[in-house]
Amino acid sequence: MAYGVTDGQPMVRTRFAPSPTGELHIGSVRTALFSWLAAKHAGGQFYIRLEDTDQERYVAGSTRRILETFDWLGIRLDGGPDHATLRRMKTDEDYPGALEDGSYQGIPGPFIQSQRLPVYQQWAGWLIEHGYAYRASETAEEIEHMRAEAMARKETFRFREEMRLRTDVRPDEPHVVRMRIVPRQGVTRFHDLVKGDVAFENANLDDQVLIKADGFPTYHLAVVVDDHLQGVSLALRGDDWLSSAPKHVLLFQYFGWDMPQLAHVPNVLGDDSRKLSKRHGATSVFELRDQGYLPEAVINFLSLLGWAPGEGDEQNVFTIPELISKFDVNHIGSSPAVFSPTKLDWLNGVHIRRLSEDDLTQRLIPIVREAGIALDTAEQLDKLRRAVPLIQERMKTLLDAVPLIDFMFFDIAVPTREALTGQKMDEAESLEALRQTRDLLAQLPEFENAPMEQAMRALADRLHLKPRQLFTIVRNAVTGKDVTPPLFGTLSVIGRAATLQRLDRAVGVLER
Ligand code: GLU
């Protein structure tokens, strides 16, 4: 059996059905995440189906990017396009992370609609045979003319069977297949898990094209046929599709198929209440990745865009297993969610602090390299490893690490006299303080955090300085920055030789 309803279907099976028309919007990823969480919460399956039936809007490379998005997020698919089907796409969309066998969990593929055309044609034929669809051959110009006339009469244009200019269209001449709205009067009702009970007047539905002149199905036929054949139990999608749902409900009724549950989720908006766009910063998950956000923080953040654990539960920070166990479609809100960059930063900081030092080190390696810091030798890698506990508390994004550690790897610019002159100190006093620091650090038996701090506090005392006065000029002399991770830990990572050399240079600046 090439296509069919799987036997022994799990209770919950959800899908994400993007069209490969460009970069996946963050709002769509959020919707996909809800679908995935709904399935995993119920111990069910989640798969991806590519809806590439609109050949004009097809963008090369977007399928691969879509699949890579899920790889980066760490979301494992229970079905989806595999190497062979990806290679057969209009542009070769194969990539190393693709599934070996897309239907390995028993969900029938292929998962790319352009590779399922005979299935849609077969079911369109069934609809024609049973009186639920008809062939129509009006040209684009003829339809345009009808639309203009309707507009002139100030009417909304809806194509109806009675408007056909030719009624006996043969299967072998160019035509589209349109759905018949049965009954023409009355109301189509359904229950939506987010919107509640919804009703649409049949009189307002048009005779939707189901198969286009090029033989491709439209979204409406393909989504119904595939959701059925692939055993989808919950179709969760953006609420811009709500007005299409009554047509789908009718098609399910015509075919005599059980409906999946429907959940139409609100859009994601920017903080000015407009649809999230470039103006608001990131609109793709890859931008977030490149800005140093962790996948687990992005998942946590996106899951809260329109969902909350429920009345009285104020939890905001979730691990992925916690999300899976708490997620409930019935708690998806019905008003649009607002993307707050501040909340994302906060959550990312929390998730960074939850990482083990080793894990954080591993995640920083590519970013630090990207910033031009070599990590080729064991010594360089060890430096990074020792810097990690010093910076972990201070980061909102992984990129924040770079300015916190670069001076541990590179020499710094020669500090100015101002930077080396302490608060309420003159140049002579500052010079003396730096000289004594240099001597003290040169003689310290262990170049480590605690002994260094103790000795330096004692020195500040002897010089009648506040510790902060002394530490600030030492920090400026050795790191070239006035904000760094804790000073003595930092010096010990920089190492004694480089620390003394920078102190000598600072002394030289003030001696001039
Ligand atoms: N292909 C549609 C989209 O790109 C899918 C809608 C649905 O999930 O039914 O949004």
Side-chain angles (χ1 to χ4, degrees):
M1 183 175 67
Y3 311 105
V5 187
T6 41
D7 295 332
Q9 259 174 50
M11 290 270 289
V12 173
R13 184 179 282 166
T14 64
R15 82 312 192 261
F16 177 51
S19 300
T21 53
E23 198 72 277
L24 208 49
H25 190 272
I26 282 181
S28 304
V29 179
R30 187 286 318 258
T31 303
L33 186 65
F34 283 180
S35 279
W36 175 67
L37 289 172
K40 294 299 147 185
H41 175 76
Q45 297 177 334
F46 168 80
Y47 73 98
I48 289 193
R49 176 175 75 225
L50 264 300
E51 302 202 327
D52 61 340
T53 56
D54 190 341
Q55 295 287 296
E56 278 161 31
R57 291 178 58 227
Y58 182 89
V59 174
S62 45
T63 298
R64 191 179 312 136
R65 299 276 286 174
I66 289 167
L67 296 174
E68 278 170 358
T69 300
F70 289 88
D71 280 350
W72 181 74
L73 288 169
I75 292 183
R76 275 198 52 235
L77 307 177
D78 298 307
D82 54 26
H83 290 300
T85 49
L86 288 169
R87 273 200 299 274
R88 277 204 297 277
M89 285 188 87
K90 195 163 159 181
T91 51
D92 181 348
E93 298 285 313
D94 195 17
Y95 84 110
L99 295 169
E100 287 300 328
D101 170 9
S103 51
Y104 70 103
Q105 293 287 359
I107 309 168
F111 298 92
I112 296 177
Q113 290 186 328
S114 60
Q115 295 175 27
R116 302 169 59 80
L117 300 186
V119 186
Y120 310 121
Q121 276 148 9
Q122 177 199 328
W123 288 107
W126 187 95
L127 289 170
I128 296 174
E129 234 173 83
H130 292 80
Y132 294 117
Y134 58 88
R135 297 187 186 90
S137 66
E138 286 63 35
T139 63
E141 293 72 36
E142 287 166 345
I143 303 261
E144 218 19 74
H145 185 71
M146 293 179 193
R147 188 186 310 278
E149 282 187 340
M151 275 176 64
R153 292 194 302 273
K154 301 205 180 340
E155 286 170 16
T156 314
F157 174 67
R158 291 186 195 89
F159 191 89
R160 294 277 193 266
E161 198 174 357
E162 317 76 81
M163 299 179 187
R164 277 191 298 178
L165 301 173
R166 294 166 288 279
T167 50
D168 50 355
V169 187
R170 287 193 325 270
D172 59 346
E173 57 185 313
H175 67 275
V176 300
V177 176
R178 286 183 180 270
M179 112 184 233
R180 201 168 261 147
I181 303 297
V182 189
R184 180 54 79 196
Q185 299 310 318
V187 175
T188 296
R189 299 175 197 281
F190 55 93
H191 182 75
D192 186 279
L193 295 181
V194 177
K195 305 283 173 185
D197 289 327
V198 189
F200 285 86
E201 294 281 344
N202 286 5
N204 292 335
L205 304 178
D206 66 346
D207 289 6
Q208 177 68 51
V209 172
L210 299 178
I211 298 276
K212 296 177 276 187
D214 61 4
F216 276 72
T218 55
Y219 158 68
H220 307 280
L221 177 65
V223 76
V224 166
V225 166
D226 287 352
D227 280 352
H228 171 67
L229 294 181
Q230 295 175 334
V232 170
S233 61
L234 163 67
L236 193 148
R237 62 181 154 239
D239 64 4
D240 30 356
W241 293 109
L242 186 66
S243 60
S244 302
K247 295 177 198 166
H248 305 174
V249 171
L250 288 177
L251 287 171
F252 273 101
Q253 285 172 7
Y254 300 166
F255 286 127
W257 295 337
D258 286 343
M259 279 281 297
Q261 287 191 299
L262 296 179
H264 287 87
V265 303
N267 264 319
V268 177
L269 305 180
D271 45 15
D272 54 1
S273 297
R274 306 224 186 133
K275 194 166 189 306
L276 188 68
S277 72
K278 287 272 174 239
R279 278 177 299 122
H280 302 104
T283 57
S284 100
V285 160
F286 293 116
E287 286 170 72
L288 296 182
R289 175 196 63 191
D290 297 344
Q291 290 166 9
Y293 294 97
L294 304 180
E296 49 270 69
V298 171
I299 288 186
N300 186 164
F301 173 73
L302 293 181
S303 70
L304 297 176
L305 289 177
W307 173 82
E311 207 66 11
D313 188 341
E314 298 300 318
Q315 186 175 354
N316 269 297
V317 180
F318 291 92
T319 61
I320 291 168
E322 282 171 335
L323 279 174
I324 290 175
S325 96
K326 286 213 173 181
F327 189 80
D328 182 349
V329 180
N330 296 305
H331 291 161
I332 296 176
S334 55
S335 41
V338 175
F339 185 105
S340 153
T342 340
K343 184 164 182 181
L344 175 59
D345 278 351
W346 171 71
L347 276 174
N348 204 52
V350 172
H351 283 278
I352 286 179
R353 290 192 286 282
R354 287 180 162 200
L355 297 177
S356 71
E357 287 172 10
D358 272 351
D359 192 351
L360 180 53
T361 306
Q362 290 310 317
R363 297 192 203 215
L364 284 174
I365 289 173
I367 288 178
V368 169
R369 283 204 173 115
E370 180 70 17
I373 299 176
L375 292 174
D376 303 325
T377 65
E379 194 194 335
Q380 287 163 332
L381 278 168
D382 190 55
K383 241 186 203 180
L384 175 64
R385 198 181 49 71
R386 291 173 60 209
V388 160
L390 302 175
I391 62 175
Q392 186 159 18
E393 294 288 322
R394 293 174 163 68
M395 298 162 63
K396 287 201 181 83
T397 72
L398 295 177
L399 298 193
D400 289 346
V402 174
L404 292 170
I405 62 167
D406 51 1
F407 55 83
M408 301 175 183
F409 294 84
F410 296 135
D411 195 8
I412 57 169
V414 180
T416 61
R417 300 173 80 92
E418 295 71 53
L420 298 172
T421 306
Q423 236 191 357
K424 300 200 183 127
M425 294 165 76
D426 61 21
E427 286 191 1
E429 277 174 289
S430 304
L431 174 59
E432 186 52 27
L434 287 173
R435 271 193 189 130
Q436 296 214 22
T437 300
R438 194 250 176 242
D439 291 345
L440 179 134
L441 295 183
Q443 282 153 27
L444 207 64
E446 273 178 297
F447 202 71
E448 292 301 333
N449 198 340
M452 222 183 303
E453 173 157 7
Q454 207 183 9
M456 288 288 289
R457 284 190 185 275
L459 174 64
D461 232 30
R462 287 201 297 284
L463 296 171
H464 305 292
L465 294 174
K466 295 218 175 71
R468 210 166 61 89
Q469 285 176 293
L470 177 62
F471 298 173
T472 302
I473 53 175
V474 173
R475 176 179 284 114
N476 283 338
V478 184
T479 71
K481 304 198 185 199
D482 45 15
V483 185
T484 62
L487 181 59
F488 303 107
T490 300
L491 297 188
S492 92
V493 176
I494 292 174
R496 191 183 321 244
T499 300
L500 296 184
Q501 184 231 324
R502 291 180 196 179
L503 282 169
D504 283 339
R505 190 169 54 190
V507 165
V509 169
L510 287 182
E511 278 173 349
R512 253 183 259 140

